[in-house]
Amino acid sequence: MTEDSPQKRKFDESEYKRKKDQEKLTDEEKRLMKAERIPLRMSDVKRTLEEMVGLGRSFDVILREMVFGAKRTGIFYLNGLVKDTVLDEVLKRLSIVREEEVDFLTLTTFMERFIPHIQVEKVDTMSDTVNKVLAGGTAIFIENETSAIMIDAKSFPVRSSEEPSLERVVRGSRDGFVETLLTNVTLVRRRLRDPRLKLEMLQVGERTKTDVCLAYINDIADQKLVESIRDKIRELETDGLPLAEKQLEEALLNKRWNPYPVVRYSERPDVVSSHLLEGHVALFVDTSPSVIILPSTFFHLVQHAEEYRQTPFIGTYLRWVRYFGILSSLFLLPLWFLMVAHPEFKPPGMGWLGPQDNGHLSLLVQFVIAEVGIDLMRMAAVHTPTPLATAMGLIAAILIGEIAIKTGLFVPEVILYLSVATIGIFATPSYELGLANRVSRLILLLATAAFAVPGFVVGTTLWVMLLAFQRSFNSPFLWPFIPFNAKAFYNILVRVPFSQEKSRLSLTKPNDSSRQPT
């Protein structure tokens, strides 16, 4: 190549441009680029870790310096997140390495020959190294090497897998999700041994770097839905998700003041597996035992695993009883109040309906006080230690309820109908839906008290419209009622026998709509 050749001139121009670009970098950018590199000397590695993660100030940040085969190394880890037994085996193997064995290609030789662990990778930047160690990994720095070795030997604090308290069944599996993401996805893998089940790992939060796992079955789930959820997660800009799945839901769906949930939460691996087979997408969030299922409708929130653990006839009966309880929790009190306040609306033969004696307080005030009182008792039950729960129940039932009736503050029928409505709330499988229905019932009661029949009709209409215009990732919340789908609505009313379920629901737009393998 001559001095004036085109290749020589092109090389000179690119080199000149590179130098100019470097000159344009600010001092801060140059400092960051330098900080990204893994230092060659162990003293510099130590100094960098002191600046980045507080080595020497935080008691759980450890850099253990050792010599293996005449190579000075630093083992960097967090004291509470590593598995001691695994690292002990690694150190035993490295302690017998001879100098001549690691003279050439030290880092590669360490990885391929002397670290007896199944999950080992090379990391090239300091920030990636620190992030992986903060997630529970262990890094090995080798002097005069510009890369580090990362060993995935995590040991998170974890409780045993037990049946979730909100989704108990009489018959069925007793395992439930825990706060460790890897355990949760393993419970689903155990039920879905399908190589097309995909588990994509994403991170959310500048500070928390919370792991979020996007789960779906590749040939069933609608890829547009998967891409939409993936893109929204990647676009989230926040400090972190310390409250895990609830903050992720609000960020993804941009929820504001609407009380009704548009996703389903589940702590049961069998429920999540069933939804994945329907074409839904599941989101696992580290540190949370609840899994988000998308998209979800109102009728997803009122289904329970117990219906599918019994015969189709019994399952259908349980479903109707549950529907009756949910409707009672919403409309029983407003209807009773309407007929008591306006006796002309009582059906023939129901003249006995209503209190015989009026209390010292109006019926509306009694209902409001009782509603608030039940919410206070519910919150008190959550915060009361278990040994004192029985005593609190006695106080609520005897000292408050019975005495309030005997003194004339409350009418017995108010307590009766409010108790039936509250049982309907407790029979609602979704805790979030039960709380939203409680608020809707109180608003409907106030509207009925203020405007009688027009208030009840308009309030009910607005309630239906609120649900009808709500969407869960572009899926109608009241589907298959609005828009109406006869076949799917029949499946909502009747628990169809397993052998008759030939196709998947069209809500999720599955790529493979047939349940039976071809």
Side-chain angles (χ1 to χ4, degrees):
M1 185 171 63
T2 62
E3 186 174 341
D4 296 330
S5 64
Q7 292 87 348
K8 180 68 165 57
R9 287 196 301 271
K10 185 176 181 180
F11 174 79
D12 292 340
E13 291 173 359
S14 61
E15 183 67 14
Y16 176 78
K17 184 176 183 299
R18 185 182 67 82
K19 290 181 178 180
K20 281 294 184 182
D21 291 339
Q22 285 185 346
E23 291 175 359
K24 294 178 182 178
L25 293 176
T26 63
D27 293 339
E28 178 66 16
E29 290 172 334
K30 290 179 181 179
R31 190 188 67 80
L32 291 174
M33 287 182 63
K34 185 177 181 181
E36 281 292 296
R37 302 192 192 103
I38 294 179
L40 295 176
R41 294 188 302 174
M42 195 57 57
S43 58
D44 294 335
V45 169
K46 189 175 181 179
R47 189 179 306 109
T48 303
L49 293 177
E50 289 173 353
E51 295 176 359
M52 295 183 68
V53 292
L55 177 65
R57 294 195 302 273
S58 298
F59 75 94
D60 62 333
V61 179
I62 308 296
L63 179 66
R64 176 77 163 90
E65 297 185 52
M66 303 182 73
V67 177
F68 301 117
K71 296 292 183 179
R72 188 161 193 81
T73 63
I75 304 171
F76 174 47
Y77 59 94
L78 296 185
N79 199 22
L81 298 180
V82 295
K83 189 173 292 186
D84 295 343
T85 54
V86 173
L87 291 184
D88 286 344
E89 293 299 322
V90 172
L91 294 180
K92 286 179 184 177
R93 181 65 184 91
L94 290 176
S95 62
I96 61 175
V97 174
R98 297 191 302 271
E99 181 177 353
E100 61 271 15
E101 293 178 315
V102 291
D103 275 345
F104 184 68
L105 297 176
T106 304
L107 188 136
T108 304
T109 305
F110 266 69
M111 287 183 60
E112 296 181 355
R113 295 181 56 190
F114 301 125
I115 298 181
H117 190 61
I118 57 176
Q119 290 182 285
V120 180
E121 63 175 324
K122 183 177 75 169
V123 183
D124 296 320
T125 64
M126 205 65 183
S127 60
D128 285 347
T129 303
V130 170
N131 289 338
K132 291 180 183 295
V133 169
L134 291 176
T138 300
I140 298 181
F141 298 100
I142 304 174
E143 200 157 51
N144 297 321
E145 293 287 343
T146 58
S147 299
I149 300 174
M150 184 61 58
I151 303 174
D152 190 358
K154 303 173 183 176
S155 178
F156 292 131
V158 60
R159 61 181 173 90
S160 61
S161 177
E162 56 189 20
E163 186 176 17
S165 58
L166 290 178
E167 298 176 273
R168 294 185 181 276
V169 293
V170 177
R171 295 196 180 277
S173 60
R174 305 296 178 188
D175 57 347
F177 293 131
V178 296
E179 286 76 16
T180 304
L181 188 147
L182 183 59
T183 302
N184 295 343
V185 298
T186 303
L187 290 173
V188 173
R189 278 283 191 193
R190 184 181 179 187
R191 289 168 170 80
L192 289 178
R193 303 176 184 179
D194 188 348
R196 289 157 292 193
L197 172 62
K198 306 302 180 185
L199 301 169
E200 299 183 14
M201 189 64 74
L202 305 167
Q203 279 194 342
V204 178
E206 181 66 26
R207 295 184 182 275
T208 64
K209 292 181 171 56
T210 305
D211 290 327
V212 177
C213 177
L214 177 67
Y216 60 94
I217 300 180
N218 196 42
D219 62 333
I220 297 180
D222 179 19
Q223 292 303 309
K224 291 183 179 179
L225 172 65
V226 174
E227 292 173 4
S228 175
I229 296 174
R230 184 193 298 122
D231 291 343
K232 282 198 171 187
I233 294 175
R234 287 175 174 170
E235 291 170 1
L236 290 180
E237 295 182 359
T238 177
D239 269 0
L241 303 176
L243 299 182
E245 81 291 346
K246 191 59 187 175
Q247 290 179 324
L248 179 64
E249 176 208 344
E250 293 184 12
L252 287 180
L253 300 172
N254 196 24
K255 288 204 64 179
R256 297 185 184 274
W257 297 104
N258 191 331
Y260 278 90
V262 291
V263 302
R264 179 176 182 178
Y265 291 105
S266 180
E267 297 183 32
R268 295 187 62 91
D270 50 0
V271 171
V272 173
S273 301
S274 299
H275 280 81
L276 288 173
L277 287 172
E278 287 289 337
H280 293 262
V281 175
L283 293 178
F284 298 79
V285 185
D286 195 24
T287 72
S288 171
S290 299
V291 173
I292 299 174
I293 300 173
L294 291 167
S296 297
T297 68
F298 179 86
F299 298 101
H300 281 114
L301 300 176
V302 298
Q303 291 181 350
H304 193 271
E306 182 67 23
E307 300 165 5
Y308 296 90
R309 295 290 185 178
Q310 306 297 332
T311 63
F313 183 87
I314 299 299
T316 302
Y317 168 74
L318 294 176
R319 183 174 292 184
W320 288 356
V321 170
R322 183 171 288 111
Y323 287 168
F324 173 77
I326 294 172
L327 291 175
S328 298
S329 69
L330 276 166
F331 301 112
L332 179 63
L333 295 185
L335 284 174
W336 182 83
F337 183 87
L338 179 64
M339 288 186 286
V340 170
H342 302 275
E344 65 272 16
F345 295 124
K346 290 182 182 180
M350 296 188 68
W352 51 268
L353 189 67
Q356 303 300 319
D357 299 319
N358 294 325
H360 298 309
L361 303 175
S362 67
L363 291 179
L364 180 61
V365 174
Q366 292 181 43
F367 275 126
V368 172
I369 293 176
E371 287 274 14
V372 175
I374 289 177
D375 281 333
L376 283 174
M377 286 188 288
R378 178 181 58 82
M379 289 187 287
V382 173
H383 302 302
T384 302
T386 303
L388 302 178
T390 303
M392 194 206 70
L394 292 174
I395 292 173
I398 298 176
L399 297 183
I400 297 179
E402 187 175 348
I403 294 177
I405 293 174
K406 287 183 177 180
T407 56
L409 290 177
F410 286 91
V411 176
E413 283 193 54
V414 170
I415 303 300
L416 171 64
Y417 289 110
L418 186 61
S419 300
V420 174
T422 303
I423 291 174
I425 292 290
F426 292 154
T428 306
S430 171
Y431 180 72
E432 293 78 16
L433 180 63
L435 292 178
N437 284 344
R438 184 189 293 273
V439 174
S440 297
R441 178 181 69 201
L442 184 58
I443 295 175
L444 195 58
L445 181 63
L446 294 175
T448 303
F451 304 105
V453 174
F456 178 79
V457 174
V458 172
T460 303
T461 304
L462 292 176
W463 176 76
V464 174
M465 291 177 62
L466 172 68
L467 300 183
F469 284 107
Q470 191 162 267
R471 304 184 76 80
S472 174
F473 263 91
N474 207 32
S475 298
F477 189 61
L478 282 185
W479 185 93
F481 180 59
I482 300 175
F484 188 71
N485 184 311
K487 181 180 178 181
F489 194 67
Y490 174 78
N491 290 339
I492 293 296
L493 296 177
V494 178
R495 207 286 261 173
V496 180
F498 178 72
S499 59
Q500 295 181 13
E501 296 179 345
K502 302 295 184 182
S503 59
R504 297 183 173 89
L505 299 177
S506 60
L507 172 72
T508 56
K509 301 177 184 178
N511 293 326
D512 181 7
S513 60
S514 175
R515 290 178 181 268
Q516 306 302 326
T518 56

